Amino acid sequence: MSGAGKVYLIGAGPGDPGLLTLRGKEILEKADVVVYDRLVSPAILGFCNPKAKMVDVGKMPTHHKVKQSEINKLLVQFACEMPGATIARLKGGDPFVFGRGGEEALELVSAGVEFEVVPGITSAISVPAYAGIPVSHRGIATSFHIITGHEKAESSSKVIPAQAGISSAPVGLDFPALAKCPGTLIFLMGIANMDFIARRLMECGKDPKTPLAFIEKGTTPYQRTVMATLETAGETIARENVTAPAITIMGGVVELGQTLAWKKNLPLSGKRLVVTRAAKQASGITARLTALGAEVIETPMIETRSVDGGLDFNSLANFETLAFTSVNGVESFFRQLFAAGCDVRVLAGKKIASVGKITEKKLLEYGIRCDYVPEDHTGEGLGKLLAEKCTSHVIASEHGERGNRLEESRILLLQGNLADETLLKLLPQATRWVVYETLPVTELPEWKREAVAAADAVVFASSSAVENFVKMTDARPSLSFCIGRMTDAAASKHGFETVTSDETTMDSLVKKIAEYYSAAR
Ligand code: SAH
């Protein structure tokens, strides 16, 4: 269907956001619509284009929130109604491994909608790997088999045995063949029916002492491995309260997990923390908390937005030097320049200045090399450098004092609304264009509100973040980690239990969080 949107069936992997493919991330970043499942982690949803329409079709274990047939129709509908749009259908693991991705693709084909499949890392192999269990191993298992432990009742022609007591029992499986099979057996969606599956395998001759492992929430900070044997499978699930999502892996390879389990129980394993810093600043603390085992939900309280319209690009002719002081400034300037129908040729012959290396690198992405970058990478350094360059330029052209001011007035500063006055003080004749604004975030998407409500604690680095966070959330954790006394006071005022870092640095805060949870264990 020409002109319609294109649908991407994307595998999100088993949970760890690092296991999403590069292709998957690339599409999520530009998606106009994201239709996602329950098993997709909030950290992966955080990669999606913030402007994308987020549609939760998550299936709860007991009831289907949105029926498969409705999901199929929804994808076609989005494609037809949104010409040229990128529609991401984000599914746990791999879309074609028990993901019903094939059914969605068939529906798209019959509606004539263009699509692409972005494979994902299936839980069937990666979850055992995170528990230190190789699915094949020389001398132990020369094949592995991925089997559903759950069957739609209507898909089986056989009558379901009453003693199974479960309408979804996989009665259609060839148990005699599976019992004989020497390879590793991996069951997905099988926890509720494992008692039935284990009994049928033993009836068909599989050794009751066959080792098996249940791996719950694999690759996430909540991963847990429970060992059993075929004969103790059902009772172990009940005793240990193994819950979905979990896979069951059976065979000699399971024993390797005793030696190869590499995923350490880290100080923050099993903790979900909300980080309220701006996205660019948050990445540092997010990486550190994640490395300590936490699941981090980045929920910035401020966002930057281009100032739309209002810039008079014709007047660029009056300026000789353009100075950029942030990556945001570069991106916003060019976005608006292009939107106004201009291109980089309007900068021909101009001198370009950057405050530091990162901004300089960003300019290079637009094909612009910088003429001036101060050695100390500060606003003050840039101001002094420009003053000196303009002055020497003027003296060389023997214009004297008046000329000096004239040259300085030909400097254009491209900055955000919250930029400090350093540059303007050093270059009082320069002109400043505000090319982007920093504003408080006023709304959280539904998926983020749900993730915040289920978090263990929230991390605050400023009292304004506390105020804004409280305004935006109804359900939130009661515990907060704060930087500094002011932040602590604001959080306490709003009823948070507070733990405050000894020093007002991120390092000190991260250390405090790790200590807090280590002591609580
Ligand atoms: N397409 C998915 C499977 C979908 S079926 C894939 O390729 O992984 C859903 C089942 O996958 C769950 O019932 C569970 O058995 C398994 N599963 C998915 N994610 C899991 C995880 N993080 N840990 C353990 N099992 C998982």
Side-chain angles (χ1 to χ4, degrees):
M1 195 188 300
S2 69
K6 179 168 174 180
V7 177
Y8 294 80
L9 303 176
I10 304 173
D16 180 343
L19 298 182
L20 174 70
T21 64
L22 292 177
R23 179 71 177 144
K25 185 160 178 264
E26 178 183 87
I27 292 160
L28 294 180
E29 281 167 354
K30 63 172 190 188
D32 300 294
V33 182
V34 180
V35 180
Y36 64 96
D37 279 350
R38 179 180 62 94
L39 287 182
V40 176
S41 103
I44 288 182
L45 297 180
F47 292 141
C48 297
N49 171 5
K51 297 207 179 81
K53 179 180 170 71
M54 303 295 286
V55 185
D56 176 5
V57 290
K59 299 186 192 86
M60 305 315 263
T62 45
H63 66 281
H64 283 214
K65 245 199 198 165
V66 180
K67 283 206 194 98
Q68 185 62 47
S69 55
E70 288 167 21
I71 297 174
N72 299 350
K73 280 203 203 96
L74 203 60
L75 296 177
V76 171
Q77 195 185 331
F78 279 129
C80 295
E81 287 173 1
M82 301 173 72
T86 296
I87 298 138
R89 169 69 178 113
L90 189 57
K91 304 165 75 69
D94 179 89
F96 279 5
V97 176
F98 298 130
R100 306 188 75 172
E103 294 168 45
E104 293 171 10
L106 282 170
E107 187 89 10
L108 295 170
V109 169
S110 67
V113 171
E114 202 189 341
F115 73 99
E116 177 179 321
V117 181
V118 182
I121 296 188
T122 179
S123 62
I125 294 168
S126 56
V127 167
Y130 267 52
I133 303 173
V135 293
S136 72
H137 193 81
R138 209 148 59 97
I140 301 179
T142 51
S143 67
F144 60 87
H145 309 265
I146 303 170
I147 307 147
T148 176
H150 174 108
E151 236 176 67
K152 271 199 303 182
E154 68 269 27
S155 71
S156 167
S157 53
K158 296 184 190 160
V159 177
I160 293 161
Q163 72 269 27
I166 308 155
S167 63
S168 64
V171 290
L173 291 180
D174 185 347
F175 283 103
L178 288 174
K180 253 192 248 110
C181 173
T184 306
L185 302 185
I186 300 158
F187 288 89
L188 267 58
M189 302 178 283
I191 294 303
N193 298 324
M194 197 41 66
D195 195 35
F196 168 77
I197 293 168
R199 275 193 289 117
R200 289 290 292 122
L201 286 171
M202 287 187 288
E203 277 164 23
C204 295
K206 195 159 176 77
D207 182 357
K209 299 282 182 233
T210 306
L212 56 83
F214 305 112
I215 310 158
E216 198 180 75
K217 303 184 177 65
T219 82
T220 76
Y222 312 96
Q223 173 174 317
R224 178 169 72 129
T225 305
V226 176
M227 301 287 198
T229 59
L230 198 54
E231 64 185 345
T232 64
E235 66 185 66
T236 307
I237 289 176
R239 189 185 63 241
E240 298 288 333
N241 190 25
V242 179
T243 47
I247 70 158
T248 307
I249 176 162
M250 284 180 200
V253 289
V254 166
E255 281 167 348
L256 287 167
Q258 314 265 19
T259 318
L260 300 182
W262 57 270
K263 197 170 188 280
K264 302 267 180 310
N265 228 349
L266 294 164
L268 302 183
S269 288
K271 301 295 168 208
R272 176 183 281 181
L273 304 176
V274 179
V275 167
T276 55
R277 303 201 89 197
K280 283 208 174 79
Q281 302 168 306
S283 308
I285 182 168
T286 297
R288 274 184 280 176
L289 293 173
T290 308
L292 290 172
E295 181 182 41
V296 177
I297 314 295
E298 284 187 1
T299 308
M301 293 293 116
I302 53 169
E303 64 183 349
T304 52
R305 271 196 223 147
S306 286
V307 178
D308 284 335
L311 299 184
D312 176 14
F313 291 104
N314 288 329
S315 68
L316 276 181
N318 302 331
F319 300 102
E320 183 169 295
T321 305
L322 268 52
F324 293 91
T325 56
S326 68
V327 166
N328 265 327
V330 174
E331 287 175 342
S332 303
F333 174 80
F334 283 104
R335 195 175 313 125
Q336 291 167 81
L337 182 79
F338 299 149
C342 307
D343 63 33
V344 288
R345 283 173 297 180
V346 299
L347 305 181
K350 296 194 191 302
K351 298 283 186 204
I352 304 290
S354 153
V355 70
K357 281 215 157 60
I358 303 175
T359 307
E360 184 185 10
K361 210 168 136 209
K362 185 49 79 182
L363 281 160
L364 206 52
E365 285 177 24
Y366 291 89
I368 310 284
R369 237 178 241 294
C370 286
D371 303 282
Y372 310 128
V373 184
E375 275 178 17
D376 65 356
H377 301 161
T378 64
E380 195 178 342
L382 179 64
K384 286 184 181 155
L385 180 67
L386 287 180
E388 179 201 314
K389 292 289 174 189
C390 293
T391 307
S392 58
H393 182 241
V394 171
I395 288 168
S397 62
E398 293 177 359
H399 279 311
E401 182 63 18
R402 276 191 59 199
N404 184 7
R405 276 208 290 279
L406 183 71
E407 287 305 318
E408 198 181 292
S409 72
R410 299 194 65 189
I411 298 175
L412 176 61
L413 311 175
L414 299 150
Q415 298 190 292
N417 62 328
L418 299 185
D420 68 17
E421 300 296 307
T422 314
L423 271 180
L424 267 185
K425 276 196 187 128
L426 289 164
L427 306 163
Q429 305 293 319
T431 301
R432 173 151 87 183
W433 283 5
V434 170
V435 289
Y436 69 92
E437 286 177 319
T438 304
L439 303 164
V441 173
T442 50
E443 242 182 290
L444 290 184
E446 174 92 12
W447 67 266
K448 220 173 236 195
R449 267 189 281 130
E450 284 172 11
V452 165
D456 293 285
V458 47
V459 180
F460 292 122
S462 71
S463 47
S464 63
V466 178
E467 297 298 340
N468 208 27
F469 181 78
V470 169
K471 250 188 247 156
M472 267 191 304
T473 52
D474 303 323
R476 48 184 177 257
S478 55
L479 175 64
S480 71
F481 294 101
C482 302
I483 271 199
R485 276 183 302 113
M486 302 281 280
T487 312
D488 182 316
S492 303
K493 189 183 85 189
H494 286 288
F496 283 100
E497 179 193 335
T498 59
V499 175
T500 302
S501 60
D502 300 329
E503 291 159 36
T504 50
T505 64
M506 276 297 156
D507 279 338
S508 175
L509 185 63
V510 170
K511 197 163 152 239
K512 197 77 184 181
I513 297 172
E515 279 168 9
Y516 176 88
Y517 284 117
S518 302
R521 266 177 214 283

